[in-house]
Amino acid sequence: MGLKIFVPITILAWVVLVPVNYTNDALEAEKMAANVTASDIDKLSISNVPLKSQRFWAHIVMAYAFTFWTCYVLLKEYEKVASMRLQFLSSERRRPDQFTVLVRNVPPDPDESVSELVEHFFLVNHPDHYLTQQVVCNANNLASLVKKNEGMQNWLDYYRFKYSRNRSQRPQTKTGFLGLWGAKVDAIDYYISEIEKLSKEIAEEREKVLNDPNCIMPAAFVSFKTRWGAAVCAQTQQSRNPTLWLTEWAPEPRDVYWPNLAIPYVSLSVRRLIIGVSFFFLAFFFMIPIAFVQSLASIEGIEKSLPFLKSVIEVEFIKSVVQGFLPGIALKLFLILLPTLLMMMSKFEGLTSLSSLERKSAMRYYIFIIINVFLGSILTGAAFEQLDSFIKQSASEIPKTIGVAIPMKATFFITYIMVDGWAGIAGEVLMLKPLIIYHLKNFFLVKTEKDRKEAMDAGSLGFNTGEPRIQLYFLLGLVYAPVTPILLPFIVMFFGFAYVVYRHQIINVYNQEYESGAAFWPAVHGRVITALVIAQLLMMGLLSTKQASSSTPFLIALPVLTIWFHVFCNGRYKSAFVKYPLQEAMMKDSLERASSPNFNFKSYLEKAYVHPVFKGNGNDDDYEQYLSENQEADAENVLVPTRRQSQRNSPAVSRAASPALSEEVQTVEHRV
């Protein structure tokens, strides 16, 4: 999508705006009159157009053209992604989350347990479709004990293997922290005894979780006989009190973030408030390192603010490093730990699925980037670069100086694109970070082949980090397209490299943690719209500083039209990403009954949402085993395609459905 948007915009901007900007001499006059810092690249920007010039009409017309083209591409992409999502939902095989609803805030009852209460409620209110339920237990302590036991077992395997290679001497270890201090003991005997102790603790904790009412949370995974029944339950209000019996679609089993299911529902609001306040102060105080980075972004700015460093900075090598890559590298280093911190905040907030954790972290990361990396870099950079002008000018002239300086920050963002974007893509090809982490783990942590296999895992793509970074380049491209078109070729090259590299990585390298069915797209669309509105508002502010009072009002319609377009797209397509159409659910259920009439749904669903610590193999992907076991049974019930027309009152086939699926639906209707 980035290439679809920016390739035509780049061509149009260079054909129209670059000649309009370059054939002026406003910056030369500013340099002589106000001692404004500028470079030769800035002559290609709107800053080189004099005040009250009629040439600003070209920038306004191009702003309209860029907006309409971006909205057109977004509309087509929204329509395409929504169609692909519906087609995916129509064609995919059965999964437990299609039949299951997460019920929270179950009201207490002195006469019934949570399990009995949930079962009775749904038997009464969903008598024809309720199948089974699994209450949520607070098994966090049990999970930590199981994890500790696995670590002990790993150490035991390591020392047994070590002893098998050299039987002349029994391996020794220390009983203190990480084996660094304490009394020396026989390693094999020590870990055998520790595992026996842990096994007893695990058995006691397991019994406590299963039998102690305090460990049962007022929540449950409720499964239904049909997709239609689950869709009705997930998308409707269950009781007169809207704060009780809250239902939502259950995440697929591998997407569930089990530790947060044990958080009481009433505490979630308090947690959200704490995280909201914490994020505000984090974004606010991060302006300090951003200001420091911007102080490094200009040789002239450093010399004006710190004259005693002039002799050092004028050295050719130091000057090239400071001017070229130091600001971008410094900013990248300040941001390196931010995604991890934001993910910790999302986990504390109490979200119950990995996908929701990544979506919320991505949203906060994007807000952080807008406030600090983009707006913070522009404002603090303008202040540092024009420090001398700020000191000598009156307060009424400062907005004009900032307006001149905003387009000049394109030089900083060009270096940032090369450091973060181009170099980041190159690093993605080489997989430098996973390679370094693997060798560190291999040197310090790997003890067995199991450890080595885990250390070699490339992990998943990481929506919470990758998507906001890419959105920053959408923002930069849309903001600077009518202002400083010199930046656009760097944006196009980034998106070209990113498309080739990430397509390969997603297909051949990264693992897929869960399946969202393109559920992230509305957030992506909304962030591009946000970038478009920010670009329009900054363009209006910039023209106002240029005293283009006769032409600036024509830009007011752009944000209004863009927001209307966003509302239209959400109203037209967003429901496909948040709701499951009952027509589609009924169609899939009809296909299910016709193709697998003897399928045992209860055995398929009753263990799908059991906490992983209660499963024999310790993982939460048992439903995939059900899929593989029943694929042969499904294959035996192949439907014969027919051209017979369906009855008039039969539900119509979705436009998103594949031709083969349409023929199957007609066959089902014929059988019915």
Side-chain angles (χ1 to χ4, degrees):
M1 187 179 71
L3 292 176
K4 292 179 182 178
I5 291 176
F6 286 110
V7 169
I9 287 179
T10 302
I11 296 173
L12 193 60
W14 274 76
V15 170
V16 177
L17 294 181
V18 169
V20 170
N21 295 334
Y22 187 73
T23 55
N24 287 278
D25 57 357
L27 283 178
E28 293 296 331
E30 290 286 346
K31 283 183 179 180
M32 297 176 61
N35 196 25
V36 172
T37 302
S39 64
D40 292 337
I41 293 179
D42 298 322
K43 293 180 181 180
L44 302 177
S45 73
I46 198 174
S47 297
N48 202 34
V49 181
L51 302 178
K52 301 181 181 180
S53 174
Q54 292 298 315
R55 295 193 177 195
F56 289 126
W57 283 105
H59 300 84
I60 293 174
V61 172
M62 287 299 99
Y64 270 91
F66 298 159
T67 298
F68 289 158
W69 173 250
T70 304
C71 290
Y72 173 78
V73 174
L74 285 175
L75 178 64
K76 291 300 180 182
E77 290 295 315
Y78 216 143
E79 182 180 0
K80 181 180 178 181
V81 174
S83 176
M84 292 173 63
R85 174 178 168 82
L86 290 176
Q87 184 175 355
F88 169 77
L89 295 177
S90 300
S91 60
E92 69 171 339
R93 289 185 175 273
R94 69 178 73 91
R95 297 190 326 196
D97 53 289
Q98 298 171 347
F99 301 87
T100 307
V101 170
L102 175 60
V103 182
R104 309 188 73 174
N105 215 21
V106 177
D109 191 305
D111 301 322
E112 291 185 323
S113 65
V114 174
S115 178
E116 294 171 338
L117 185 61
V118 170
E119 184 176 13
H120 292 169
F121 179 87
F122 284 95
L123 281 174
V124 170
N125 295 283
H126 299 267
D128 298 328
H129 299 279
Y130 169 76
L131 180 62
T132 185
Q133 53 85 20
Q134 177 63 50
V135 295
V136 175
C137 302
N138 185 357
N140 292 345
N141 291 335
L142 178 60
S144 63
L145 289 174
V146 170
K147 185 176 180 180
K148 184 177 179 181
N149 185 66
E150 291 176 353
M152 291 286 186
Q153 186 64 50
N154 207 29
W155 277 109
L156 178 61
D157 294 340
Y158 166 71
Y159 282 115
R160 280 176 171 172
F161 178 71
K162 184 177 180 180
Y163 179 62
S164 66
R165 299 183 64 181
N166 182 15
R167 292 190 172 273
S168 61
Q169 184 178 3
R170 298 273 293 185
Q172 303 286 311
T173 187
K174 295 181 179 180
T175 58
F177 178 72
L178 294 178
L180 298 177
W181 56 73
K184 269 193 174 184
V185 295
D186 184 279
I188 296 177
D189 294 340
Y190 171 74
Y191 281 107
I192 289 177
S193 63
E194 290 297 314
I195 290 173
E196 290 177 353
K197 294 178 184 177
L198 275 176
S199 298
K200 294 179 181 178
E201 293 182 28
I202 289 172
E204 294 174 358
E205 185 66 23
R206 186 189 298 267
E207 193 70 21
K208 175 184 176 183
V209 170
L210 293 175
N211 298 320
D212 188 354
N214 294 325
C215 293
I216 305 299
M217 306 304 299
F221 290 101
V222 179
S223 298
F224 295 83
K225 300 175 184 177
T226 62
R227 296 173 180 84
W228 190 91
V232 170
C233 180
Q235 298 166 180
T236 55
Q237 182 174 319
Q238 301 302 309
S239 69
R240 182 179 299 177
N241 187 342
T243 64
L244 301 177
W245 297 101
L246 303 178
T247 57
E248 60 185 88
W249 280 108
E252 62 170 320
R254 57 181 175 172
D255 189 24
V256 177
Y257 187 68
W258 295 97
N260 280 358
L261 289 176
I263 298 175
Y265 186 80
V266 293
S267 69
L268 294 180
S269 298
V270 178
R271 287 172 174 258
R272 293 191 188 102
L273 177 62
I274 294 173
I275 293 300
V277 174
S278 302
F279 178 72
F280 171 79
F281 283 104
L282 175 66
F284 179 78
F285 284 108
F286 208 84
M287 280 289 186
I288 298 173
I290 293 294
F292 170 73
V293 168
Q294 287 306 315
S295 69
L296 305 175
S298 170
I299 296 294
E300 294 82 358
I302 295 176
E303 291 178 350
K304 288 177 182 178
S305 57
L306 301 172
F308 60 89
L309 294 178
K310 184 175 181 179
S311 59
V312 178
I313 294 175
E314 287 299 328
V315 177
E316 191 63 29
F317 173 74
I318 297 177
K319 183 177 181 180
S320 61
V321 171
V322 171
Q323 208 166 22
F325 295 101
L326 184 59
I329 293 173
L331 182 58
K332 184 68 176 175
L333 291 176
F334 278 120
L335 295 174
I336 198 169
L337 295 177
L338 181 63
T340 302
L341 180 60
L342 294 179
M343 179 59 74
M344 292 171 59
M345 294 172 69
S346 297
K347 290 179 178 179
F348 178 81
E349 193 174 0
L351 302 174
T352 57
S353 65
L354 297 175
S355 57
S356 61
L357 288 172
E358 292 200 340
R359 278 199 297 270
K360 184 57 71 72
S361 297
M363 181 196 72
R364 291 197 175 104
Y365 196 9
Y366 182 65
I367 294 173
F368 192 92
I369 285 176
I370 290 178
I371 294 175
N372 288 282
V373 178
F374 181 69
L375 296 178
S377 296
I378 287 177
L379 296 177
T380 58
F384 274 106
E385 289 191 359
Q386 314 304 334
L387 186 61
D388 187 60
S389 300
F390 275 35
I391 295 174
K392 294 180 179 179
Q393 287 179 346
S394 63
S396 61
E397 295 294 318
I398 290 178
K400 185 187 298 184
T401 305
I402 294 178
V404 174
I406 285 176
M408 299 179 190
K409 292 310 298 174
T411 305
F412 166 75
F413 285 119
I414 286 173
T415 61
Y416 183 78
I417 291 170
M418 290 190 291
V419 171
D420 181 72
W422 294 5
I425 295 298
E428 184 67 32
V429 175
L430 299 174
M431 298 291 288
L432 288 177
K433 181 180 176 182
L435 181 64
I436 294 172
I437 292 176
Y438 165 72
H439 283 293
L440 291 175
K441 288 183 176 179
N442 190 41
F443 186 79
F444 293 105
L445 301 177
V446 170
K447 302 177 292 296
T448 63
E449 284 301 317
K450 179 184 176 183
D451 291 339
R452 193 180 307 278
K453 184 177 179 181
E454 292 177 353
M456 292 180 67
D457 184 14
S460 61
L461 179 62
F463 179 85
N464 60 309
T465 57
E467 190 269 343
R469 285 176 55 203
I470 292 176
Q471 288 291 344
L472 173 62
Y473 300 114
F474 276 100
L475 176 64
L476 293 177
L478 292 172
V479 167
Y480 281 97
V483 175
T484 311
I486 186 65
L487 184 137
L488 290 175
F490 296 90
I491 295 287
V492 171
M493 292 181 67
F494 166 77
F495 279 114
F497 292 148
Y499 172 75
V500 174
V501 170
Y502 280 108
R503 185 175 185 273
H504 171 269
Q505 301 296 88
I506 291 171
I507 294 174
N508 299 315
V509 177
Y510 288 120
N511 300 318
Q512 186 177 4
E513 282 189 285
Y514 52 83
E515 177 58 67
S516 67
F520 292 4
W521 171 255
V524 174
H525 177 271
R527 286 169 196 143
V528 177
I529 292 293
T530 301
L532 201 55
V533 172
I534 290 175
Q536 294 159 359
L537 295 177
L538 290 179
M539 185 68 178
M540 293 170 58
L542 181 59
L543 288 183
S544 67
T545 65
K546 289 288 188 177
Q547 299 180 12
S549 57
S550 61
S551 55
T552 305
F554 287 92
L555 285 173
I556 296 177
L558 274 181
V560 177
L561 291 175
T562 304
I563 295 172
W564 172 86
F565 169 77
H566 179 57
V567 173
F568 167 78
C569 286
N570 282 341
R572 174 64 181 84
Y573 299 111
K574 189 175 181 179
S575 61
F577 296 86
V578 296
K579 296 179 181 178
Y580 190 34
L582 295 181
Q583 180 185 7
E584 297 287 335
M586 182 62 73
M587 181 186 69
K588 289 289 291 181
D589 290 333
S590 300
L591 285 172
E592 192 85 57
R593 288 192 295 268
S595 60
S596 304
N598 299 320
F599 185 78
N600 189 343
F601 278 96
K602 188 166 186 179
S603 63
Y604 172 68
L605 294 170
E606 64 182 354
K607 294 183 179 180
Y609 285 95
V610 175
H611 198 289
V613 297
F614 294 113
K615 295 183 179 181
N617 56 4
N619 65 54
D620 56 349
D621 290 333
D622 285 356
Y623 74 98
E624 293 185 350
Q625 298 179 8
Y626 284 106
L627 287 176
S628 60
E629 292 172 359
N630 291 279
Q631 280 177 353
E632 296 181 1
D634 292 344
E636 295 176 358
N637 295 284
V638 177
L639 298 178
V640 179
T642 178
R643 296 182 180 273
R644 189 185 301 271
Q645 297 294 324
S646 62
Q647 297 179 4
R648 181 174 298 178
N649 60 352
S650 299
V653 180
S654 169
R655 293 175 59 187
S658 62
L661 187 62
S662 303
E663 291 179 350
E664 288 183 349
V665 174
Q666 292 179 4
T667 305
V668 171
E669 293 168 346
H670 171 59
R671 290 183 177 180
V672 173

